[in-house]
Structure formats: structure tokens, C-alpha cells
Amino acid sequence: DIQLTQSPSFLSASVGDRVTITCRASQGIRRYLAWYQHEPGKAPKLLIYSASTLQSGVPSRFSGSGSGTEFTLTISSLQPEDFATYYCQQLDDYPHTFGGGTKVEIK
Amino acid sequence: EVQLLESGGDLVQPGGSLRLSCAASGFTFTSFAMTWVRQAPGKGLEWVAAIGGRYSYTYYADSVKGRFTLSRDNSKNTLYLQMNSLRADDTAVYYCGKRALDTGSIDSWGRGTLVTV
């Protein structure tokens, strides 16, 4: 199975900060990677697919990059509604594993 | 608007069975692959299983293979997850998801249903 390692697992930041989350795959997954945002008690939300394509309706402060084994999610200017947990998911091969998550909290 | 509504979550004894349902609306159900993802208390998201659209292939996580069965009734726009031989580590909120046609990413999610073993 393909393992995804996210870092950091916890991040404390202030409104307006630039935030970067990394997702590393145990083997190459081309660009078959998605990023999700999850707030407690809510349905997860797709942010980015195919490593760098912004899902319709998602603010442009979110961006994704990478291919192969290393990927990043960047929030250019953190907003109050962005405090949540973020997950990467690989879609290159079954099982479609998730990373362990990165919790973004208010500093 | 795409809507996914999970139901069937409950408190069950170890070794018991439960069937989850996911009622879909707002899209052509037959055309899309679907998936289940779960989140145990205090843990991250875990991919559970996936099923194709019209041709209904299925894939399962090793942790549920042989115990869970994923199926769909395209005439009722409903996805099912039959869970047998339930264990304490199956306790989680179970989310139903619709997969995008080209990328396979989960572009719509339900609010989840809680299973407690």
C-alpha cells in the first residue's frame, strides 16, 4: 500500500500568515493527489485535485503543487475560516490512502 | 445540488452486523463511482471502500476486507455498506462520498453517520 506522510501534524499560525503543508508519498503517484479541509462536525471539503487544480468555489488563496512523491498545499494568507484539519489523499492506486492530517490552529 | 445522506449508524455489540445506506440526489447516480471513508474518535480520515458506477467494481481497505460488502442500487440512487463481524476498532463516523469522473477525488461528501461498537 502507498503511505502518505504529512508534515507538520500540528501548526499554530495567525490570521494573515502564509502556511505550507507537505505530503510525501512512499512511492511515485504522478499527480494523483487531492487535498481536503475538514472541520469538526462537518463534511470534509475538496480543495485541490490532480495536485494543483483548484476545486470550483474554493478561494484562490489555496494552492497546490508537486508531483511524484512530494506535494505541498499552501494557504497564502490564512483567514479565520481556514482553521481546520487538512488531509492529502492519493488516487494513484487502491487503497486510496489518506495522510495523517495537519491541524491548523490559531496562535 | 448534490446531496448525500447517510443513515443506519447505531450502537452494536462486537461481532454484530449493521448496514449503512447513503441516499444520493442531484446528480446521475449511475454515472459516478462512490466511496466510504471513516473517522475514528480522535483519529484522521481512513479510506474504507469504493465501488464503480455502471460496472460496479469494488475495492476494500485491508482492515475491512472479508467483513464489509459495498453495493449499490442504481434504481434507488442508494449506496450500501454491509458491515459484519464488527470490532471495537470499527467505531467511527462513516462518510459517503461521490467521486469525480476524471480524477477520482471525492468532490461531494455526506455529513456522516456514527457507528459505535
Side-chain angles (χ1 to χ4, degrees):
Chain A
D1 296 359
I2 298 170
Q3 311 300 321
L4 295 182
T5 303
Q6 279 185 243
S7 60
S9 54
F10 176 86
L11 190 160
S12 181
S14 300
V15 172
D17 282 354
R18 181 182 180 88
V19 164
T20 299
I21 298 168
T22 298
C23 179
R24 290 189 173 87
S26 58
Q27 63 190 71
I29 57 171
R30 296 173 282 182
R31 294 178 59 82
Y32 291 108
L33 189 98
W35 289 97
Y36 303 91
Q37 177 191 65
H38 192 201
E39 297 175 72
K42 294 188 177 181
K45 176 184 175 182
L46 176 64
L47 300 174
I48 301 278
Y49 61 89
S50 298
S52 62
T53 304
L54 198 66
Q55 172 70 351
S56 175
V58 173
S60 59
R61 63 181 179 273
F62 291 92
S63 64
S65 66
S67 67
T69 60
E70 187 148 339
F71 302 84
T72 60
L73 172 71
T74 299
I75 310 171
S76 60
S77 177
L78 203 61
Q79 298 302 300
E81 60 268 29
D82 300 338
F83 292 95
T85 301
Y86 294 84
Y87 295 91
C88 55
Q89 183 195 23
Q90 65 83 16
L91 298 141
D92 186 74
D93 193 16
Y94 288 100
H96 286 171
T97 43
F98 285 89
T102 297
K103 186 173 185 179
V104 178
E105 289 200 342
I106 302 173
K107 183 183 285 185
Chain B
E1 179 193 1
V2 171
Q3 290 197 339
L4 300 171
L5 183 61
E6 302 96 335
S7 61
D10 204 348
L11 171 64
V12 61
Q13 293 298 311
S17 298
L18 212 53
R19 187 177 82 159
L20 304 185
S21 299
C22 172
S25 61
F27 64 102
T28 305
F29 184 68
T30 304
S31 298
F32 291 88
M34 302 290 291
T35 193
W36 286 95
V37 173
R38 68 184 181 183
Q39 184 177 37
K43 302 292 186 182
L45 299 177
E46 180 188 11
W47 181 85
V48 173
I51 187 167
R54 200 175 299 275
Y55 300 105
S56 295
Y57 61 79
T58 53
Y59 291 95
Y60 298 93
D62 287 345
S63 57
V64 307
K65 201 173 294 181
R67 300 187 299 123
F68 290 12
T69 302
L70 183 51
S71 63
R72 61 192 297 160
D73 185 336
N74 289 334
S75 68
K76 295 182 178 179
N77 288 357
T78 302
L79 182 71
Y80 301 103
L81 185 66
Q82 178 66 43
M83 305 187 295
N84 298 330
S85 302
L86 283 161
R87 312 185 304 219
D89 61 0
D90 294 318
T91 294
V93 175
Y94 285 73
Y95 297 98
C96 164
K98 167 186 166 288
R99 295 181 56 192
L101 269 177
D102 47 356
T103 67
S105 56
I106 306 169
D107 61 5
S108 297
W109 297 70
R111 295 290 297 268
T113 187
L114 176 62
V115 173
T116 304
V117 184

